């Protein structure tokens, strides 16, 4: 079993910054990808940023130049640095990881519980 625990959400004024963290723990042999998704009220969940084990990174167009995804492989942790935040960034942010465990034969996708980010004056 694998757990993803997010932290770092909160209330911030427009133009401000937040840093989200997501730590993976449990039965982990290898992590293929880690990513951040978000879901605003009455909208579908969307990909914000993804980083692969080979270092490939992609971002949603709406956050390019403002958000930065990074990882600490030793800690099985992924970060999302969010700068120049806008009210449209308000959403619940979810961590996502594609992981294979010891003694298993396939990768599985796991989700965190979500952390609220609210951008408002």
């Amino acid at each position: 079993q694998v757990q993803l625990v997010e932290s770092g959400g909160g209330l911030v004024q427009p133009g401000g910054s937040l840093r989200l963290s997501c730590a993976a723990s449990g039965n982990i042999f290898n992590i293929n990808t880690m990513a951040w998704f978000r879901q605003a009220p009455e909208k579908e969940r969307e990909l914000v940023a993804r980083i692969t084990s080979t270092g490939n990174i992609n971002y949603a167009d709406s956050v390019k130049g403002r958000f930065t995804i990074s990882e600490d492989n030793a800690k099985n942790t992924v970060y999302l640095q969010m700068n120049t935040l806008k009210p449209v960034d308000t959403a619940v942010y979810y961590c996502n990881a594609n992981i294979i465990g010891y003694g298993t034969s396939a990768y599985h996708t796991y989700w965190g519980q979500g952390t609220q980010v609210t951008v408002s004056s």
Side-chain angles (χ1 to χ4, degrees), residues 32-68:
N32 185 27
T33 64
M34 296 192 82
W36 289 96
F37 286 72
R38 67 186 181 187
Q39 187 166 20
E42 301 182 359
K43 292 191 176 181
E44 293 187 356
R45 191 173 296 189
E46 63 174 359
L47 174 68
V48 176
R50 176 185 285 122
I51 185 167
T52 72
S53 59
T54 57
N56 291 321
I57 292 174
N58 60 287
Y59 296 99
D61 288 342
S62 59
V63 307
K64 285 181 180 177
R66 300 188 298 122
F67 290 12
T68 302

Side-chain angles (χ1 to χ4, degrees), residues 5-121:
V5 178
E6 300 128 334
S7 61
L11 173 65
V12 63
Q13 292 186 342
S17 298
L18 282 175
R19 187 190 194 210
L20 305 183
S21 299
C22 171
S25 63
N27 182 19
I28 299 171
F29 175 70
N30 186 59
I31 299 176
N32 185 27
T33 64
M34 296 192 82
W36 289 96
F37 286 72
R38 67 186 181 187
Q39 187 166 20
E42 301 182 359
K43 292 191 176 181
E44 293 187 356
R45 191 173 296 189
E46 63 174 359
L47 174 68
V48 176
R50 176 185 285 122
I51 185 167
T52 72
S53 59
T54 57
N56 291 321
I57 292 174
N58 60 287
Y59 296 99
D61 288 342
S62 59
V63 307
K64 285 181 180 177
R66 300 188 298 122
F67 290 12
T68 302
I69 189 170
S70 62
E71 63 182 355
D72 184 334
N73 291 326
K75 297 181 179 179
N76 291 332
T77 298
V78 65
Y79 306 96
L80 186 68
Q81 178 66 43
M82 304 185 293
N83 299 329
T84 319
L85 282 160
K86 306 174 182 179
V88 295
D89 295 317
T90 296
V92 177
Y93 284 70
Y94 295 93
C95 179
N96 167 284
N98 195 238
I99 296 172
I100 187 168
Y102 289 95
T104 65
S105 59
Y107 282 87
H108 294 278
T109 298
Y110 298 91
W111 291 91
Q113 79 284 358
T115 184
Q116 177 70 45
V117 172
T118 302
V119 185
S120 175
S121 55

